[in-house]
Amino acid sequence: MNLLLRGGRVIDPAHELDAALDVRVDAGRVAEVGRGLAPGRGVREVDVRDKLVVPGLVDLHVHFREPGQEYKEDIATGSAAAAAGGFTTVCCMPNTVPPNDCRTVTDLIVRRSREVGLCRVRPVGAISVGLEGKALAEYGEMKEAGVVALSDDGRPVMNAGLMRRALEYARTFDLPVVQHAEDLALAEGGVMNEGEVATRLGLRGQPPQAESVMVARDLELCEWTGARYHVAHASTARTIELVRQARRRGLPVSCEVTPHHLHLTHDAVAGPPGYDTRAKVNPPLRAAADVEALREGLADGVIDCIATDHAPHSTVEKEVEFDHAAFGMIGLETALPLVLELVRARVIDLVRAVALLTSQPARVFRLDAGGAGSLAAGAPADLAVIDLDLAWTAEESGLRSRSRNTPFLGRALRGAALLTLLGGRVAFDRAGLVGEP
Ligand code: DOR
């Protein structure tokens, strides 16, 4: 479908663009971004005045559970949730069953995501065979098959010797190593943040240092090996400080934060309702001072991007005693309004918010080379039209994800994707903006 999006506020951080412009989509690609573009024959014109037009959002961290746990989510439902959230590229973590630690699993994910065709699902390969932290996986064959990064996410790489080898090996393939930073000896099986709230609830806590100790160790290894190192779901003030210092030393380090760590503290576990397993995530929701430090890191630029850590779980895993509940919450469909809330609270401006969800994550995993995260002429037309003011409430029945595990259900939200285009095709159209071709 050839489209002309007329008169939206186009924000394309990669090209330092923020202006009322038209966007012409031709044969699945961005043909032109400019003022007063001619409609041309057979072009469907869509009035998007008062709307935002941005590159399709990019999420470096999702769990789509296929293969093996499709009852929680699969590539089709996960892609639909992504498209509804305005995302056109997501990177899926390898903790599937079996894990994505070899070419066959990577091939399957790439093929399924193309068949579904609602979102570009870029796989992250395992650092270690079986995510067991013992032997390195085959990075070369996984890279050939399409992985864009390496991680044992869900688990840390505890063994420093293995982490050194992983960084060295990854460097030869120019792949970033993504750490789930959690020193298991310090975390000691904690189910929430260590502190006053955990004590009051009688729950075992994991201290913030379980994260920062591992980040500190890894930064030493990063400096030693020169490999690209990315901190997944950074959640503590100290982690942000360590990354800030490492940046100053010129290390190739990057980090992401999640919308939930930017909005919620460990008080969310206490409720109401009490012992809310929907607020059980790993790393855990932290104290107010940590949330403040993450927000400062967003504003001053030390944090590269916002990633959801979309982690679907069924009621069987979530509606149980707090100690036994699985870690994780879904996030693809609520990320955008939660980030826009930070704009209204003047934590960051709108252009930075868009950059944190588009050009910056694309740069961290070098997805920008294929056009992700920008509206470059000639690139695949992956873009989102956003209504900044649309007021809505996340409800179970409205979610595209197969799972419902989010504490943001019932929260009054503002802002949503109206239209998501993937390669110029409609992946999501909230209110029939484009309608039938
Ligand atoms: O909360 C989490 N859920 N954190 C992780 O690191 C893993 C994830 C999952 O796979 O459910």
Side-chain angles (χ1 to χ4, degrees):
M1 189 187 340
N2 294 340
L3 275 178
L4 183 61
L5 301 174
R6 182 72 86 190
R9 176 175 173 190
V10 177
I11 298 184
D12 180 10
H15 296 101
E16 292 181 19
L17 206 60
D18 175 9
L21 296 167
D22 304 335
V23 178
R24 193 157 59 78
V25 173
D26 209 344
R29 295 187 176 267
V30 177
E32 213 176 339
V33 179
R35 234 174 279 275
L37 299 184
R41 279 163 61 95
V43 175
R44 183 181 294 260
E45 207 170 314
V46 183
D47 181 355
V48 291
R49 273 172 298 172
D50 306 324
K51 308 286 187 286
L52 201 61
V53 180
V54 299
L57 309 185
V58 177
D59 188 351
L60 299 187
H61 195 141
V62 304
H63 297 269
F64 276 180
R65 311 299 191 201
E66 183 175 350
Q69 293 179 315
E70 291 84 353
Y71 68 97
K72 299 181 192 221
E73 191 85 287
D74 61 24
I75 290 169
T77 56
S79 298
F87 290 90
T88 53
T89 298
V90 301
C91 301
C92 65
M93 287 295 162
N95 61 341
T96 46
V97 186
N100 182 14
D101 63 359
C102 61
R103 179 198 293 270
T104 5
V105 180
T106 308
D107 280 343
L108 177 143
I109 295 166
V110 169
R111 181 171 46 76
R112 274 300 294 147
S113 104
R114 288 207 181 119
E115 281 165 11
V116 169
L118 291 175
C119 183
R120 298 181 205 282
V121 182
R122 312 295 303 269
V124 176
I127 292 172
S128 67
V129 175
L131 308 171
E132 283 175 351
K134 290 183 187 139
L136 296 183
E138 271 297 345
Y139 302 167
E141 63 163 52
M142 287 194 293
K143 176 157 183 181
E144 261 176 40
V147 305
V148 293
L150 300 161
S151 182
D152 275 358
D153 183 65
R155 299 182 197 175
V157 178
M158 276 297 287
N159 181 320
L162 189 83
M163 188 62 174
R164 171 202 174 178
R165 298 289 175 214
L167 288 162
E168 286 172 346
Y169 193 30
R171 192 180 164 190
T172 65
F173 296 104
D174 197 20
L175 286 169
V177 174
V178 180
Q179 177 72 293
H180 168 117
E182 177 188 357
D183 185 307
L184 296 173
L186 284 172
E188 266 194 302
V191 292
M192 68 173 295
N193 187 44
E194 184 175 297
E196 183 204 324
V197 185
T199 307
R200 191 152 35 86
L201 293 175
L203 293 172
R204 186 190 278 266
Q206 47 168 289
Q209 288 80 357
E211 178 175 294
S212 52
V213 160
M214 180 150 285
V215 171
R217 179 203 79 176
D218 286 348
L219 290 172
E220 281 292 295
L221 300 177
C222 172
E223 181 150 25
W224 184 10
T225 58
R228 291 158 64 199
Y229 173 71
H230 180 76
V231 184
H233 41 51
S235 70
T236 77
R238 191 66 194 137
T239 295
I240 299 304
E241 192 44 42
L242 288 167
V243 171
R244 187 179 278 114
Q245 289 165 9
R247 276 281 179 67
R248 282 198 199 115
R249 300 211 307 278
L251 300 193
V253 52
S254 53
C255 72
E256 67 188 33
V257 291
T258 72
H260 50 273
H261 288 107
L262 288 162
H263 278 283
L264 302 174
T265 66
H266 49 182
D267 289 306
V269 175
Y275 298 90
D276 189 352
T277 60
R278 297 171 312 170
K280 181 175 176 182
V281 281
N282 203 12
L285 300 172
R286 303 287 188 184
D290 293 303
V291 173
E292 205 37 55
L294 298 185
R295 289 176 167 216
E296 275 166 25
L298 272 194
D300 73 14
V302 62
I303 292 166
D304 295 87
C305 58
I306 293 173
T308 65
D309 195 3
H310 176 85
H313 291 292
S314 76
T315 52
V316 177
E317 285 112 9
K318 277 302 211 182
E319 291 181 14
V320 293
E321 295 90 325
F322 199 88
D323 277 342
H324 297 137
F327 289 101
M329 70 173 78
I330 56 170
L332 282 166
E333 294 171 81
T334 48
L336 177 60
L338 290 173
V339 173
L340 293 175
E341 211 172 300
L342 298 173
V343 174
R344 286 193 300 274
R346 298 186 189 283
V347 175
I348 45 175
D349 66 25
L350 185 58
V351 173
R352 184 177 293 258
V354 172
L356 285 159
L357 288 165
T358 60
S359 53
Q360 296 194 181
R363 186 177 38 76
V364 170
F365 282 5
R366 309 236 168 111
L367 308 171
D368 47 352
S374 86
L375 294 174
D382 292 1
L383 58 84
V385 175
I386 292 166
D387 183 337
L388 289 174
D389 294 314
L390 189 86
W392 62 290
T393 307
E395 278 163 14
E396 288 201 21
S397 60
L399 295 173
R400 268 87 181 163
S401 170
R402 184 161 286 145
S403 290
R404 302 282 174 264
N405 54 306
T406 165
F408 293 111
L409 287 175
R411 183 180 175 116
L413 299 168
R414 237 173 91 199
L418 288 183
L419 177 72
T420 307
L421 296 185
L422 185 75
R425 295 164 65 150
V426 175
F428 175 72
D429 188 351
R430 186 173 297 267
L433 199 64
V434 171
E436 293 301 311

